[in-house]
Amino acid sequence: MSYKQVKLGILGGGQLGKMLIQAAADLNILCKVLDPDASAPCKSLTNEFVHGKLTDFQTVYDFGKDVEVLTIEIENVNTEAMEALQREGVKVFPKPEIIREIQDKRLQKQFFQKHNIPTADFILIDNQADLKNYIAFLPAVQKLGKEGYDGRGVQKLMNENDISKGFDAPSLIEKFVDFEKEISVIVARNENGEVRTFPVVELVFNPVYNLVDYLFAPANISEKAEQEANSIAKLIVEKWDFIGILAVEMFLTKKGDILVNEVAPRPHNSGHHTIEANYVSQYEQHLRAILNLPLGSTATILPAAMVNLLGEDGYTGNAKYEGLEEVIALEGCYVHLYGKAKTKPFRKMGHVTVIASKVADLQEKVDFIKERLRVVC
Ligand SMILES: Nc1ncnc2c1ncn2[C@@H]1O[C@H](COP(=O)(O)OP(=O)(O)OP(=O)(O)O)[C@@H](O)[C@H]1O
Ligand SMILES: [Mg+2]
């Protein structure tokens, strides 16, 4: 088989798209990006940029007509247009019908249930009034079916008094999981059916804003939990006949069981560190998967931590980065700024990966980065 230049369409022009383009450059892939923000992070890097709505049929359809392969870096896209393009011969990965199922957490959970993929028990809810019928099910977490992200669309309902905080929309309630750790596995599968998982990572969330503060890779978990997490991730991509990269967010319970929280059919925040810390990055792996190239080794080069650089609370305006020089001077420290002009509280503005041969050194560096590097205006 000979390899020739491919024109790749990417729906979404955020930081995930930007890092995907950086990997695409090495494989001489031509990129075309669609995003509703005229100054999206991908704008300055892509061969072609189209300003338009990702959820509009005609916009997505017109965008995709002249690409050979179409992919996503965000799930909230018009899947009907992707299907129309697929019928006309564009290779569309991940498959639109799977993206549609993942867009709706209710359908996602039903998929897990149908295929015996371990996940917390749940009940589908139509509206807020419905909640009072399920008081005996609490404590639970209510999740909007559609369009929740970065913890928006997720509400803890610990007891009857919390019901007034519940969402009045199609949603689900799922048993509150008293977890030991939140972990994630990134898995890739190509058209030949080759499957590879990245080592499990452990995520540390900020309890206030429900976003990943930082992560450690590989996770400090038992060999048994590592294997279990890997086989669950593999089972999901097999059952879905999934092509591309899939991030599987999971809970490791205090009893040592693993439950799937949710999946994302694209490169993921929990895989940024693979750029420096693994033989192949999640971005290149995704490209290899959708172009049906052999998948790369996911082995760890050095243990890593990744710190999300979030807009400082109380600052909204043109972004400035305080403490960058001190952080970039640290050994094994890699700063990634996404190039978003405006900062706002908790907006994902960049990340820092740090690698170290001694795992014990990582926490100290994470603390230093979190203390010194601030996005203000
Ligand atoms: N059943 C549960 N029990 C306990 N905590 C939960 C449960 N479900 C979710 N959470 C907490 O809420 C966080 C956000 O939930 P979830 O991942 O479903 O939402 P999201 O908004 O799609 O997330 P993101 O876009 O940040 O990945 C989880 O990472 C976890 O910390
Ligand atoms: Mg999540």
Side-chain angles (χ1 to χ4, degrees):
M1 196 183 92
S2 60
Y3 176 80
K4 65 169 187 56
Q5 187 172 54
V6 173
K7 183 163 180 184
L8 173 70
I10 305 172
L11 297 177
Q15 64 268 17
L16 300 171
K18 182 176 178 185
M19 291 180 267
L20 194 60
I21 293 173
Q22 288 174 300
D26 286 338
L27 292 172
N28 191 32
I29 295 166
L30 268 179
C31 294
K32 177 179 180 184
V33 171
L34 176 69
D35 197 273
D37 176 359
S39 55
C42 285
K43 175 79 185 286
S44 59
L45 243 77
T46 183
N47 302 90
E48 211 180 324
F49 183 82
V50 178
H51 178 209
K53 237 177 132 175
L54 296 162
T55 49
D56 179 61
F57 178 93
Q58 202 60 42
T59 308
V60 172
Y61 179 72
D62 291 341
F63 170 84
K65 273 194 294 205
D66 67 344
V67 304
E68 292 159 85
V69 184
L70 183 67
T71 193
I72 60 167
E73 63 99 57
I74 184 168
E75 304 76 317
N76 196 11
V77 293
N78 189 295
T79 51
E80 286 75 24
M82 296 175 87
E83 272 167 339
L85 291 162
Q86 194 172 42
R87 283 193 293 274
E88 289 169 23
V90 177
K91 283 195 169 269
V92 182
F93 297 125
K95 291 179 202 148
E97 67 268 24
I98 303 177
I99 299 173
R100 195 176 302 133
E101 268 183 280
I102 293 175
Q103 280 172 345
D104 189 340
K105 283 194 168 144
R106 292 155 56 104
L107 298 177
Q108 248 191 76
K109 288 286 278 190
Q110 287 171 281
F111 173 86
F112 300 153
Q113 195 175 45
K114 182 169 160 207
H115 295 285
N116 290 321
I117 290 154
T119 191
D121 285 346
F122 67 99
I123 298 169
L124 301 183
I125 297 291
D126 291 326
N127 50 47
Q128 195 181 18
D130 230 9
L131 285 172
K132 64 177 179 307
N133 301 319
Y134 300 107
I135 288 161
F137 190 79
L138 306 185
V141 177
Q142 188 187 9
K143 300 184 177 184
L144 285 180
K146 292 187 177 169
E147 290 175 26
Y149 69 96
D150 285 351
R152 285 164 247 189
V154 173
Q155 178 68 54
K156 283 186 188 144
L157 304 177
M158 300 315 279
N159 55 49
E160 197 174 343
N161 301 330
D162 287 345
I163 283 192
S164 57
K165 291 196 276 181
F167 301 115
D168 190 19
S171 53
L172 61 91
I173 48 172
E174 118 184 340
K175 281 277 186 205
F176 182 83
V177 181
D178 186 19
F179 52 78
E180 174 77 31
K181 281 180 179 175
E182 291 198 60
I183 58 176
S184 159
V185 177
I186 292 180
V187 55
R189 185 167 174 276
N190 66 14
E191 273 184 287
N192 285 345
E194 198 189 345
V195 178
R196 296 230 191 180
T197 53
F198 281 90
V200 180
V201 306
E202 72 180 80
L203 309 165
V204 180
F205 276 74
N206 183 300
V208 179
Y209 42 83
N210 233 351
L211 274 171
V212 174
D213 233 349
Y214 54 93
L215 65 76
F216 290 111
N220 182 16
I221 57 173
S222 69
E223 186 59 32
K224 181 176 161 281
E226 174 86 26
Q227 278 172 12
E228 173 82 4
N230 274 292
S231 38
I232 292 171
K234 284 181 181 161
L235 181 67
I236 296 176
V237 287
E238 302 284 2
K239 291 288 178 198
W240 244 325
D241 189 15
F242 187 90
I243 292 159
I245 207 152
L246 184 80
V248 187
E249 297 177 18
M250 306 176 187
F251 301 121
L252 176 61
T253 70
K254 294 199 167 136
K255 281 195 284 175
D257 296 328
I258 287 174
L259 298 172
V260 173
N261 173 25
E262 59 161 350
V263 296
R266 51 167 169 79
H268 192 255
N269 194 215
S270 65
H272 291 340
H273 64 285
T274 58
I275 296 173
E276 292 91 4
N278 295 73
Y279 280 31
V280 72
S281 74
Q282 64 164 346
Y283 302 98
E284 181 170 327
Q285 194 78 313
H286 179 60
L287 296 169
R288 289 178 183 228
I290 64 177
L291 300 179
N292 203 22
L293 291 168
L295 298 180
S297 163
T298 57
T300 300
I301 300 170
L302 277 181
M306 187 280 308
V307 183
N308 270 332
L309 184 52
L310 305 175
E312 194 76 13
D313 199 5
Y315 294 84
T316 301
N318 292 329
K320 283 198 307 220
Y321 306 89
E322 266 178 24
L324 186 99
E325 285 172 7
E326 287 165 87
V327 166
I328 218 165
L330 283 183
E331 183 177 288
C333 225
Y334 301 88
V335 175
H336 294 252
L337 301 179
Y338 302 151
K340 297 176 184 174
K342 302 267 183 213
T343 184
K344 58 183 177 197
F346 313 122
R347 186 174 194 200
K348 286 180 181 154
M349 299 299 288
H351 74 264
V352 183
T353 295
V354 43
I355 55 173
S357 45
K358 282 198 278 172
V359 176
D361 292 343
L362 292 172
Q363 183 72 55
E364 198 184 310
K365 286 186 172 159
V366 165
D367 294 342
F368 182 86
I369 294 162
K370 282 181 57 63
E371 188 190 302
R372 299 298 166 93
L373 190 53
R374 291 173 4 120
V375 192
V376 294
C377 57

